[in-house]
């Protein structure tokens, strides 16, 4: 709807009168923010209401004693009972009540607007806090990414491709072993999500004789977006393998659930 049609629709008058729903109030506020003409129209309507209120206000002041005398039906000056004498014109009383109703409606509208603005401020603060958290997370992810890149570029890091095995030939992974700080970094983006109640377990292997040593389980595989993990490795590893085990891990690998395996190349 164009702003001219919106102004002519009558919704702004209802907005000033406080007769709209919360959703409609939100729509009007949005139009006021987008179109200065709509905002000016609302201000003009408000000014007209205030002017009408002033024009309708009673100009003749009546004392409290006079009101009591009229209620009792007694003229205070001549002490004559006037129960049957009714005022010929109650226009001032009616306009006074009308002004009071208009003023009361205006106060209710202002209170409603105040509550709407407070809700808006709360929403904006919530969004601000959310974006600040997002920025902190992004900065943290950026720092982690830089660290991972440095690890992968380190000339002393041994890269070990882990190929898919019979249980899942399409699987693949890669281990980056830093002997100096006794850490192995694992890129597990090529593994499928483990089923409920199962976790991946990483093994350091010596080949003759075949001896597996658990390096730990990957408990946060699903929640980790980049699928890069690090585990301590103090072993003289000759190979690395990854199996699917029950939650909590196993004492020895379940070979039927061996997903990937890779041998460390001998260095001269």
């Amino acid at each position: 709807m164009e702003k001219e049609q919106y102004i002519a629709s009558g919704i702004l008058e209802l907005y000033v009168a406080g007769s709209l729903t919360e959703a409609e109030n939100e729509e009007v506020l949005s139009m006021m923010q987008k179109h200065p003409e709509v905002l000016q129209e609302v201000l003009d309507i408000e000014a007209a209401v205030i002017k009408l209120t002033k024009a309708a206000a009673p100009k003749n002041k009546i004392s409290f004693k006079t009101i009591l005398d009229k209620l009792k039906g007694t003229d205070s000056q001549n002490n004559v009972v006037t129960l049957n004498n009714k005022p010929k014109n109650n226009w001032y009383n009616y306009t006074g009540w009308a002004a009071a109703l208009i003023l009361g409606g205006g106060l209710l509208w202002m209170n409603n607007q105040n509550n709407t603005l407070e809700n808006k401020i709360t929403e904006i603060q919530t969004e601000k806090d959310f974006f600040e958290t997002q920025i902190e997370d992004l900065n943290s992810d950026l720092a982690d990414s830089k660290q991972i890149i440095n690890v992968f570029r380190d000339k002393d890091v041994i890269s070990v491709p882990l190929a898919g095995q019979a249980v899942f030939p399409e699987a693949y992974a890669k281990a980056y072993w830093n002997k100096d700080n006794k850490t192995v970094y694992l890129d597990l983006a090529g593994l499928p999500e483990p089923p409920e109640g199962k976790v991946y377990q990483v093994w350091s292997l010596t080949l003759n004789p075949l001896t597996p040593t658990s390096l730990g389980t990957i408990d946060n595989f699903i929640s980790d977006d980049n699928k890069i993990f690090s585990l301590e490795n103090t072993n003289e590893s000759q190979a690395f393998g990854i199996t699917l085990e029950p939650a909590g891990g196993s004492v020895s690998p379940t070979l039927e659930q061996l997903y990937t395996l890779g041998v460390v190349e001998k260095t001269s």
Side-chain angles (χ1 to χ4, degrees):
M1 182 185 296
E2 296 295 328
K3 57 180 180 294
E4 291 81 9
Q5 295 176 323
Y6 194 82
I7 291 172
S9 68
I11 193 171
L12 300 184
E13 287 79 2
L14 294 176
Y15 173 80
V16 172
S19 301
L20 298 180
T21 64
E22 184 176 351
E24 290 170 334
N25 281 331
E26 292 287 340
E27 178 186 342
V28 174
L29 285 172
S30 176
M31 290 294 290
M32 289 166 61
Q33 292 171 350
K34 292 179 182 178
H35 304 293
E37 298 90 340
V38 175
L39 174 59
Q40 186 59 50
E41 183 67 16
V42 171
L43 294 175
D44 290 343
I45 294 170
E46 291 177 359
V49 170
I50 292 172
K51 185 176 180 181
L52 176 61
T53 302
K54 290 181 178 179
K59 297 179 180 178
N60 294 333
K61 295 183 179 179
I62 302 174
S63 69
F64 183 70
K65 184 177 183 302
T66 303
I67 294 173
L68 286 177
D69 290 341
K70 287 185 176 294
L71 288 173
K72 293 176 181 178
T74 305
D75 190 327
S76 60
Q77 293 181 357
N78 52 28
N79 214 21
V80 177
V81 176
T82 57
L83 288 174
N84 293 327
N85 292 336
K86 296 182 180 179
K88 297 180 180 179
N89 194 340
N90 289 329
W91 184 83
Y92 285 112
N93 292 334
Y94 293 147
T95 55
W97 281 108
L101 288 173
I102 292 173
L103 180 59
L107 291 174
L108 288 174
W109 177 81
M110 290 177 64
N111 182 64
N112 181 61
Q113 290 298 100
N114 183 57
N115 291 337
T116 301
L117 289 174
E118 287 180 353
N119 291 337
K120 271 289 183 185
I121 291 171
T122 301
E123 290 176 8
I124 292 171
Q125 183 61 46
T126 301
E127 290 177 358
K128 178 176 176 290
D129 294 340
F130 172 76
F131 286 127
E132 287 179 351
T133 301
Q134 290 291 95
I135 291 172
E136 289 177 2
D137 291 342
L138 289 172
N139 288 336
S140 178
D141 291 343
L142 181 59
D144 292 342
S145 298
K146 288 181 178 179
Q147 181 182 1
I148 291 169
I149 290 172
N150 291 334
V151 168
F152 292 172
R153 288 176 176 173
D154 192 328
K155 62 183 180 62
D156 295 323
V157 168
I158 300 171
S159 176
V160 184
L162 308 181
Q165 301 300 298
V167 68
F168 202 92
E170 296 84 2
Y172 63 91
K174 204 161 191 178
Y176 298 88
W177 182 20
N178 190 324
K179 285 188 175 182
D180 291 338
N181 64 15
K182 302 184 185 306
T183 303
V184 59
Y185 298 88
L186 299 156
D187 181 358
L188 305 185
L191 293 180
E193 287 191 2
E196 186 175 355
K198 298 285 186 177
V199 294
Y200 288 116
Q201 189 165 353
V202 184
W203 305 89
S204 168
L205 307 171
T206 55
L207 302 179
N208 290 309
L210 180 61
T211 306
T213 302
S214 175
L215 298 182
T217 57
I218 308 299
D219 299 320
N220 58 332
F221 181 89
I222 295 176
S223 61
D224 190 285
D225 292 331
N226 57 29
K227 299 295 184 285
I228 302 291
F229 307 91
S230 62
L231 296 171
E232 184 180 1
N233 181 27
T234 59
N235 305 282
E236 287 298 324
S237 305
Q238 294 178 326
F240 294 101
I242 300 175
T243 59
L244 187 67
E245 305 291 346
S250 300
V251 176
S252 59
T254 305
L255 297 180
E256 295 80 7
Q257 294 296 316
L258 179 63
Y259 270 64
T260 60
L261 180 65
V263 177
V264 178
E265 293 185 2
K266 293 182 179 180
T267 55
S268 55

